Amino acid sequence: MVPPERISRFLSYLLRHRPKDRPLSFDPWGFAGWEEVAARVRERFPETTEEQIRAVIQDSDKQRFELRKDQVRATYGHSFPVDLGRQNVEPPAELYHGTARDLAQSILREGLRPRGRQHVHLSTILDDAMAVGRRRDPFPAIIVVAAKAAHDRGVRFYSSGPLFLVESVSAEFLSLYRC
Ligand code: HQG
């Protein structure tokens, strides 16, 4: 059986980055047709059933995907513009961003930028930010975002499962976490 994580990564690749070699049509909200997506996954992993793909979507710890009757989309992480249709919400006082130590100084100087994606991703829980940062560095730096203060000054925060998304955060709202 194909490990669920491989299917999840492949779905993320298809739905966040619309690769040219795996053409799918997307609506403005980032949804693609379920049948088409399931067919792409089964081309890549022929032994996978549609039920297994559904299970990966439903079991995703970070609610990475949204499946409607005959459509599916990624809930965050896009490298192409989509209208997620999310409401601006009031965030908690602090949110956390885990990153590599060698990026921290530039972030504290320039602010948090989405780089290749549509949004910056922020965690509500320190341990989650550590896990995000460990993808890049075994001893990650944690940036603390004064989220409520930024929100009060007009920065729009969107909630997505356990994450908050934001277009960017200027340096005045950032500090380095010290344990
Ligand atoms: C960095 C995964 C220098 C930023 C994860 C990050 C997450 C700057 C990188 C989700 C910068 C962008 C997203 C600045 C930002 N100077 N570096 N001014 N501003 N950066 O991958 O947050 O499991 O787009 O620190 O768990 O690492 O795939 O963002 O290192 O939730 O669902 O630019 O992806 O989720 O990298 O990861 P990314 P991320 P999944």
Side-chain angles (χ1 to χ4, degrees), residues 16 62 64 76 97 99 106 111 115 117 135-136:
R16 293 176 181 175
K62 290 167 79 179
R64 292 180 174 86
Y76 62 87
H97 177 85
T99 191
S106 134
R115 296 291 183 106
R117 305 195 201 239
R135 288 155 56 245
R136 302 182 187 284

Side-chain angles (χ1 to χ4, degrees), residues 8-9 12 16-17 60-65 75-78 97-100 102-123 128-129 131-133 135-136 141 143 163 165 169 174:
S8 178
R9 284 182 185 281
S12 293
R16 293 176 181 175
H17 306 301
S60 167
D61 51 348
K62 290 167 79 179
Q63 299 171 42
R64 292 180 174 86
F65 313 103
T75 51
Y76 62 87
H78 299 85
H97 177 85
T99 191
D102 62 359
L103 299 179
Q105 286 316 315
S106 134
I107 292 172
L108 292 171
R109 206 170 46 240
E110 296 168 14
L112 270 170
R113 313 227 173 284
R115 296 291 183 106
R117 305 195 201 239
Q118 200 178 3
H119 293 105
V120 172
H121 300 70
L122 303 173
S123 305
D128 289 352
V132 173
R135 288 155 56 245
R136 302 182 187 284
I143 307 287
L163 302 179
L165 307 177
V169 187
L174 306 179

Side-chain angles (χ1 to χ4, degrees), residues 2 4-5 9 17 21 23 26 36 39 55 57 59-60 74 76 91 100 108 111 124 128-130 136 142 151 156:
V2 181
E5 190 181 330
R9 284 182 185 281
H17 306 301
D21 59 335
F26 289 91
E36 268 183 281
I57 292 173
D59 298 346
S60 167
Y76 62 87
L108 292 171
T124 44
D128 289 352
M130 290 291 286
R136 302 182 187 284
I142 302 294
H151 173 267
R156 293 190 300 258

